PDB file of all heavy atoms in Angstrom:
ATOM      1  N   THR A 677       9.752 155.868-177.450  1.00 62.00           N
ATOM      2  CA  THR A 677       9.628 155.978-178.907  1.00 62.00           C
ATOM      3  C   THR A 677       9.059 157.334-179.284  1.00 62.00           C
ATOM      4  O   THR A 677       8.415 158.011-178.466  1.00 62.00           O
ATOM      5  CB  THR A 677       8.706 154.875-179.458  1.00 62.00           C
ATOM      6  OG1 THR A 677       7.363 155.107-178.989  1.00 62.00           O
ATOM      7  CG2 THR A 677       9.181 153.507-178.998  1.00 62.00           C
ATOM      8  N   ILE A 678       9.249 157.723-180.502  1.00 55.00           N
ATOM      9  CA  ILE A 678       8.794 159.025-180.982  1.00 55.00           C
ATOM     10  C   ILE A 678       7.269 159.093-181.034  1.00 55.00           C
ATOM     11  O   ILE A 678       6.686 160.180-181.073  1.00 55.00           O
ATOM     12  CB  ILE A 678       9.390 159.327-182.376  1.00 55.00           C
ATOM     13  CG1 ILE A 678       9.206 160.804-182.718  1.00 55.00           C
ATOM     14  CG2 ILE A 678       8.773 158.410-183.416  1.00 55.00           C
ATOM     15  CD1 ILE A 678       9.985 161.732-181.835  1.00 55.00           C
ATOM     16  N   THR A 679       6.600 157.921-181.007  1.00 54.00           N
ATOM     17  CA  THR A 679       5.129 157.888-181.043  1.00 54.00           C
ATOM     18  C   THR A 679       4.543 157.803-179.629  1.00 54.00           C
ATOM     19  O   THR A 679       3.352 157.557-179.461  1.00 54.00           O
ATOM     20  CB  THR A 679       4.649 156.677-181.861  1.00 54.00           C
ATOM     21  OG1 THR A 679       5.194 155.471-181.294  1.00 54.00           O
ATOM     22  CG2 THR A 679       5.088 156.798-183.310  1.00 54.00           C
ATOM     23  N   GLY A 680       5.373 158.008-178.620  1.00 55.00           N
ATOM     24  CA  GLY A 680       4.920 157.898-177.236  1.00 55.00           C
ATOM     25  C   GLY A 680       3.914 158.951-176.836  1.00 55.00           C
ATOM     26  O   GLY A 680       3.089 158.731-175.955  1.00 55.00           O
ATOM     27  N   ASP A 681       3.957 160.142-177.453  1.00 58.00           N
ATOM     28  CA  ASP A 681       3.025 161.243-177.187  1.00 58.00           C
ATOM     29  C   ASP A 681       3.004 161.648-175.715  1.00 58.00           C
ATOM     30  O   ASP A 681       2.185 161.189-174.928  1.00 58.00           O
ATOM     31  CB  ASP A 681       1.615 160.880-177.645  1.00 58.00           C
ATOM     32  CG  ASP A 681       0.672 162.096-177.583  1.00 58.00           C
ATOM     33  OD1 ASP A 681       1.167 163.205-177.270  1.00 58.00           O
ATOM     34  OD2 ASP A 681      -0.521 161.924-177.853  1.00 58.00           O
ATOM     35  N   LEU A 682       3.909 162.537-175.350  1.00 53.00           N
ATOM     36  CA  LEU A 682       3.987 163.046-173.983  1.00 53.00           C
ATOM     37  C   LEU A 682       3.322 164.409-173.852  1.00 53.00           C
ATOM     38  O   LEU A 682       3.644 165.184-172.968  1.00 53.00           O
ATOM     39  CB  LEU A 682       5.461 163.147-173.552  1.00 53.00           C
ATOM     40  CG  LEU A 682       6.273 161.856-173.631  1.00 53.00           C
ATOM     41  CD1 LEU A 682       7.712 162.115-173.213  1.00 53.00           C
ATOM     42  CD2 LEU A 682       5.657 160.775-172.758  1.00 53.00           C
ATOM     43  N   SER A 683       2.344 164.700-174.724  1.00 56.00           N
ATOM     44  CA  SER A 683       1.729 166.022-174.759  1.00 56.00           C
ATOM     45  C   SER A 683       1.015 166.374-173.457  1.00 56.00           C
ATOM     46  O   SER A 683       0.889 167.549-173.119  1.00 56.00           O
ATOM     47  CB  SER A 683       0.752 166.115-175.941  1.00 56.00           C
ATOM     48  OG  SER A 683      -0.229 165.101-175.853  1.00 56.00           O
ATOM     49  N   GLU A 684       0.518 165.385-172.716  1.00 54.00           N
ATOM     50  CA  GLU A 684      -0.164 165.680-171.464  1.00 54.00           C
ATOM     51  C   GLU A 684       0.813 165.899-170.315  1.00 54.00           C
ATOM     52  O   GLU A 684       0.411 166.313-169.219  1.00 54.00           O
ATOM     53  CB  GLU A 684      -1.132 164.549-171.124  1.00 54.00           C
ATOM     54  CG  GLU A 684      -2.290 164.426-172.110  1.00 54.00           C
ATOM     55  CD  GLU A 684      -3.331 163.432-171.636  1.00 54.00           C
ATOM     56  OE1 GLU A 684      -3.258 163.046-170.448  1.00 54.00           O
ATOM     57  OE2 GLU A 684      -4.203 163.050-172.433  1.00 54.00           O
ATOM     58  N   MET A 685       2.080 165.635-170.541  1.00 56.00           N
ATOM     59  CA  MET A 685       3.104 165.821-169.506  1.00 56.00           C
ATOM     60  C   MET A 685       3.981 167.035-169.775  1.00 56.00           C
ATOM     61  O   MET A 685       4.575 167.585-168.849  1.00 56.00           O
ATOM     62  CB  MET A 685       3.991 164.570-169.407  1.00 56.00           C
ATOM     63  CG  MET A 685       3.246 163.307-169.038  1.00 56.00           C
ATOM     64  SD  MET A 685       4.330 161.857-169.080  1.00 56.00           S
ATOM     65  CE  MET A 685       5.547 162.313-167.831  1.00 56.00           C
ATOM     66  N   VAL A 686       4.067 167.444-171.025  1.00 54.00           N
ATOM     67  CA  VAL A 686       4.968 168.526-171.417  1.00 54.00           C
ATOM     68  C   VAL A 686       4.155 169.684-171.977  1.00 54.00           C
ATOM     69  O   VAL A 686       3.366 169.511-172.919  1.00 54.00           O
ATOM     70  CB  VAL A 686       5.987 168.048-172.477  1.00 54.00           C
ATOM     71  CG1 VAL A 686       6.929 169.183-172.858  1.00 54.00           C
ATOM     72  CG2 VAL A 686       6.771 166.851-171.943  1.00 54.00           C
ATOM     73  N   ASP A 687       4.334 170.862-171.393  1.00 54.00           N
ATOM     74  CA  ASP A 687       3.609 172.045-171.829  1.00 54.00           C
ATOM     75  C   ASP A 687       4.374 172.722-172.957  1.00 54.00           C
ATOM     76  O   ASP A 687       5.122 173.671-172.757  1.00 54.00           O
ATOM     77  CB  ASP A 687       3.424 173.003-170.656  1.00 54.00           C
ATOM     78  CG  ASP A 687       2.557 174.203-171.033  1.00 54.00           C
ATOM     79  OD1 ASP A 687       1.887 174.139-172.087  1.00 54.00           O
ATOM     80  OD2 ASP A 687       2.555 175.189-170.275  1.00 54.00           O
ATOM     81  N   SER A 688       4.203 172.189-174.163  1.00 53.00           N
ATOM     82  CA  SER A 688       4.912 172.726-175.318  1.00 53.00           C
ATOM     83  C   SER A 688       4.160 172.346-176.587  1.00 53.00           C
ATOM     84  O   SER A 688       3.537 171.283-176.667  1.00 53.00           O
ATOM     85  CB  SER A 688       6.339 172.171-175.377  1.00 53.00           C
ATOM     86  OG  SER A 688       6.958 172.523-176.601  1.00 53.00           O
ATOM     87  N   LEU A 689       4.229 173.216-177.586  1.00 49.00           N
ATOM     88  CA  LEU A 689       3.582 172.939-178.870  1.00 49.00           C
ATOM     89  C   LEU A 689       4.257 171.777-179.582  1.00 49.00           C
ATOM     90  O   LEU A 689       3.655 171.120-180.432  1.00 49.00           O
ATOM     91  CB  LEU A 689       3.612 174.195-179.760  1.00 49.00           C
ATOM     92  CG  LEU A 689       2.832 175.406-179.230  1.00 49.00           C
ATOM     93  CD1 LEU A 689       3.033 176.605-180.165  1.00 49.00           C
ATOM     94  CD2 LEU A 689       1.351 175.062-179.106  1.00 49.00           C
ATOM     95  N   GLU A 690       5.508 171.527-179.242  1.00 55.00           N
ATOM     96  CA  GLU A 690       6.252 170.437-179.877  1.00 55.00           C
ATOM     97  C   GLU A 690       6.239 169.165-179.030  1.00 55.00           C
ATOM     98  O   GLU A 690       7.058 168.269-179.213  1.00 55.00           O
ATOM     99  CB  GLU A 690       7.700 170.845-180.126  1.00 55.00           C
ATOM    100  CG  GLU A 690       7.881 171.925-181.191  1.00 55.00           C
ATOM    101  CD  GLU A 690       7.634 173.318-180.620  1.00 55.00           C
ATOM    102  OE1 GLU A 690       7.824 173.480-179.405  1.00 55.00           O
ATOM    103  OE2 GLU A 690       7.237 174.211-181.391  1.00 55.00           O
ATOM    104  N   ALA A 691       5.311 169.069-178.057  1.00 49.00           N
ATOM    105  CA  ALA A 691       5.314 167.954-177.107  1.00 49.00           C
ATOM    106  C   ALA A 691       5.231 166.597-177.795  1.00 49.00           C
ATOM    107  O   ALA A 691       5.811 165.617-177.322  1.00 49.00           O
ATOM    108  CB  ALA A 691       4.161 168.106-176.127  1.00 49.00           C
ATOM    109  N   ARG A 692       4.505 166.511-178.909  1.00 52.00           N
ATOM    110  CA  ARG A 692       4.354 165.224-179.589  1.00 52.00           C
ATOM    111  C   ARG A 692       5.675 164.725-180.168  1.00 52.00           C
ATOM    112  O   ARG A 692       5.803 163.556-180.534  1.00 52.00           O
ATOM    113  CB  ARG A 692       3.299 165.338-180.692  1.00 52.00           C
ATOM    114  CG  ARG A 692       1.875 165.510-180.170  1.00 52.00           C
ATOM    115  CD  ARG A 692       0.871 165.582-181.296  1.00 52.00           C
ATOM    116  NE  ARG A 692      -0.484 165.723-180.805  1.00 52.00           N
ATOM    117  CZ  ARG A 692      -1.259 164.727-180.418  1.00 52.00           C
ATOM    118  NH1 ARG A 692      -0.794 163.482-180.492  1.00 52.00           N
ATOM    119  NH2 ARG A 692      -2.486 164.944-179.978  1.00 52.00           N
ATOM    120  N   GLN A 693       6.655 165.616-180.270  1.00 54.00           N
ATOM    121  CA  GLN A 693       7.948 165.210-180.821  1.00 54.00           C
ATOM    122  C   GLN A 693       8.894 164.709-179.732  1.00 54.00           C
ATOM    123  O   GLN A 693       9.979 164.214-180.029  1.00 54.00           O
ATOM    124  CB  GLN A 693       8.593 166.384-181.562  1.00 54.00           C
ATOM    125  CG  GLN A 693       7.746 166.950-182.686  1.00 54.00           C
ATOM    126  CD  GLN A 693       8.399 168.169-183.306  1.00 54.00           C
ATOM    127  OE1 GLN A 693       9.621 168.328-183.259  1.00 54.00           O
ATOM    128  NE2 GLN A 693       7.578 169.023-183.892  1.00 54.00           N
ATOM    129  N   TYR A 694       8.476 164.864-178.472  1.00 59.00           N
ATOM    130  CA  TYR A 694       9.345 164.461-177.372  1.00 59.00           C
ATOM    131  C   TYR A 694       9.174 162.975-177.039  1.00 59.00           C
ATOM    132  O   TYR A 694       8.095 162.406-177.199  1.00 59.00           O
ATOM    133  CB  TYR A 694       9.036 165.277-176.109  1.00 59.00           C
ATOM    134  CG  TYR A 694       9.369 166.742-176.216  1.00 59.00           C
ATOM    135  CD1 TYR A 694       8.577 167.701-175.587  1.00 59.00           C
ATOM    136  CD2 TYR A 694      10.473 167.168-176.946  1.00 59.00           C
ATOM    137  CE1 TYR A 694       8.876 169.053-175.672  1.00 59.00           C
ATOM    138  CE2 TYR A 694      10.780 168.514-177.032  1.00 59.00           C
ATOM    139  CZ  TYR A 694       9.978 169.458-176.401  1.00 59.00           C
ATOM    140  OH  TYR A 694      10.283 170.785-176.487  1.00 59.00           O
ATOM    141  N   TYR A 695      10.247 162.380-176.567  1.00 55.00           N
ATOM    142  CA  TYR A 695      10.192 161.012-176.052  1.00 55.00           C
ATOM    143  C   TYR A 695      11.252 160.876-174.953  1.00 55.00           C
ATOM    144  O   TYR A 695      12.131 161.714-174.815  1.00 55.00           O
ATOM    145  CB  TYR A 695      10.433 159.983-177.159  1.00 55.00           C
ATOM    146  CG  TYR A 695      11.817 160.039-177.769  1.00 55.00           C
ATOM    147  CD1 TYR A 695      12.833 159.191-177.308  1.00 55.00           C
ATOM    148  CD2 TYR A 695      12.107 160.934-178.796  1.00 55.00           C
ATOM    149  CE1 TYR A 695      14.098 159.243-177.857  1.00 55.00           C
ATOM    150  CE2 TYR A 695      13.373 160.988-179.342  1.00 55.00           C
ATOM    151  CZ  TYR A 695      14.362 160.146-178.881  1.00 55.00           C
ATOM    152  OH  TYR A 695      15.619 160.205-179.412  1.00 55.00           O
ATOM    153  N   VAL A 696      11.149 159.828-174.160  1.00 61.00           N
ATOM    154  CA  VAL A 696      12.086 159.599-173.063  1.00 61.00           C
ATOM    155  C   VAL A 696      13.339 158.909-173.609  1.00 61.00           C
ATOM    156  O   VAL A 696      13.244 157.839-174.207  1.00 61.00           O
ATOM    157  CB  VAL A 696      11.452 158.719-171.960  1.00 61.00           C
ATOM    158  CG1 VAL A 696      12.481 158.422-170.856  1.00 61.00           C
ATOM    159  CG2 VAL A 696      10.238 159.407-171.377  1.00 61.00           C
ATOM    160  N   SER A 697      14.478 159.531-173.407  1.00 60.00           N
ATOM    161  CA  SER A 697      15.729 158.927-173.864  1.00 60.00           C
ATOM    162  C   SER A 697      16.397 158.109-172.766  1.00 60.00           C
ATOM    163  O   SER A 697      16.976 157.054-173.008  1.00 60.00           O
ATOM    164  CB  SER A 697      16.705 160.000-174.366  1.00 60.00           C
ATOM    165  OG  SER A 697      17.023 160.913-173.321  1.00 60.00           O
ATOM    166  N   GLN A 698      16.292 158.595-171.509  1.00 60.00           N
ATOM    167  CA  GLN A 698      16.885 157.889-170.382  1.00 60.00           C
ATOM    168  C   GLN A 698      16.073 158.153-169.111  1.00 60.00           C
ATOM    169  O   GLN A 698      15.420 159.197-168.984  1.00 60.00           O
ATOM    170  CB  GLN A 698      18.327 158.352-170.125  1.00 60.00           C
ATOM    171  CG  GLN A 698      19.346 157.878-171.135  1.00 60.00           C
ATOM    172  CD  GLN A 698      20.747 158.326-170.732  1.00 60.00           C
ATOM    173  OE1 GLN A 698      20.958 159.493-170.409  1.00 60.00           O
ATOM    174  NE2 GLN A 698      21.682 157.406-170.723  1.00 60.00           N
ATOM    175  N   ILE A 699      16.127 157.207-168.191  1.00 61.00           N
ATOM    176  CA  ILE A 699      15.606 157.408-166.834  1.00 61.00           C
ATOM    177  C   ILE A 699      16.768 157.156-165.888  1.00 61.00           C
ATOM    178  O   ILE A 699      17.298 156.049-165.815  1.00 61.00           O
ATOM    179  CB  ILE A 699      14.440 156.460-166.515  1.00 61.00           C
ATOM    180  CG1 ILE A 699      13.257 156.755-167.446  1.00 61.00           C
ATOM    181  CG2 ILE A 699      14.013 156.612-165.060  1.00 61.00           C
ATOM    182  CD1 ILE A 699      12.073 155.853-167.226  1.00 61.00           C
ATOM    183  N   VAL A 700      17.178 158.203-165.183  1.00 56.00           N
ATOM    184  CA  VAL A 700      18.381 158.131-164.366  1.00 56.00           C
ATOM    185  C   VAL A 700      18.054 158.472-162.915  1.00 56.00           C
ATOM    186  O   VAL A 700      17.302 159.413-162.646  1.00 56.00           O
ATOM    187  CB  VAL A 700      19.460 159.116-164.896  1.00 56.00           C
ATOM    188  CG1 VAL A 700      20.703 159.060-164.023  1.00 56.00           C
ATOM    189  CG2 VAL A 700      19.813 158.779-166.341  1.00 56.00           C
ATOM    190  N   HIS A 701      18.605 157.695-161.998  1.00 55.00           N
ATOM    191  CA  HIS A 701      18.493 157.995-160.571  1.00 55.00           C
ATOM    192  C   HIS A 701      19.904 158.168-160.017  1.00 55.00           C
ATOM    193  O   HIS A 701      20.775 157.328-160.223  1.00 55.00           O
ATOM    194  CB  HIS A 701      17.788 156.864-159.824  1.00 55.00           C
ATOM    195  CG  HIS A 701      17.691 157.104-158.343  1.00 55.00           C
ATOM    196  ND1 HIS A 701      16.746 157.934-157.792  1.00 55.00           N
ATOM    197  CD2 HIS A 701      18.434 156.650-157.306  1.00 55.00           C
ATOM    198  CE1 HIS A 701      16.906 157.970-156.482  1.00 55.00           C
ATOM    199  NE2 HIS A 701      17.923 157.211-156.152  1.00 55.00           N
ATOM    200  N   LYS A 702      20.134 159.271-159.338  1.00 60.00           N
ATOM    201  CA  LYS A 702      21.433 159.525-158.728  1.00 60.00           C
ATOM    202  C   LYS A 702      21.246 159.844-157.252  1.00 60.00           C
ATOM    203  O   LYS A 702      20.250 160.460-156.858  1.00 60.00           O
ATOM    204  CB  LYS A 702      22.144 160.692-159.423  1.00 60.00           C
ATOM    205  CG  LYS A 702      22.565 160.385-160.844  1.00 60.00           C
ATOM    206  CD  LYS A 702      23.385 161.530-161.438  1.00 60.00           C
ATOM    207  CE  LYS A 702      23.868 161.178-162.837  1.00 60.00           C
ATOM    208  NZ  LYS A 702      24.696 162.270-163.425  1.00 60.00           N
ATOM    209  N   CYS A 703      22.205 159.423-156.434  1.00 63.00           N
ATOM    210  CA  CYS A 703      22.103 159.709-155.007  1.00 63.00           C
ATOM    211  C   CYS A 703      23.485 159.946-154.410  1.00 63.00           C
ATOM    212  O   CYS A 703      24.505 159.521-154.965  1.00 63.00           O
ATOM    213  CB  CYS A 703      21.399 158.571-154.264  1.00 63.00           C
ATOM    214  SG  CYS A 703      22.239 156.992-154.369  1.00 63.00           S
TER     215      CYS A 703
END
Side-chain angles (χ1 to χ4, degrees):
T677 67
I678 194 66
T679 57
D681 189 5
L682 303 178
S683 57
E684 294 188 13
M685 299 175 61
V686 181
D687 185 15
S688 171
L689 296 176
E690 291 82 26
R692 290 181 179 276
Q693 302 176 26
Y694 293 145
Y695 65 95
V696 177
S697 61
Q698 287 183 312
I699 297 179
V700 179
H701 178 79
K702 292 186 177 181
C703 61

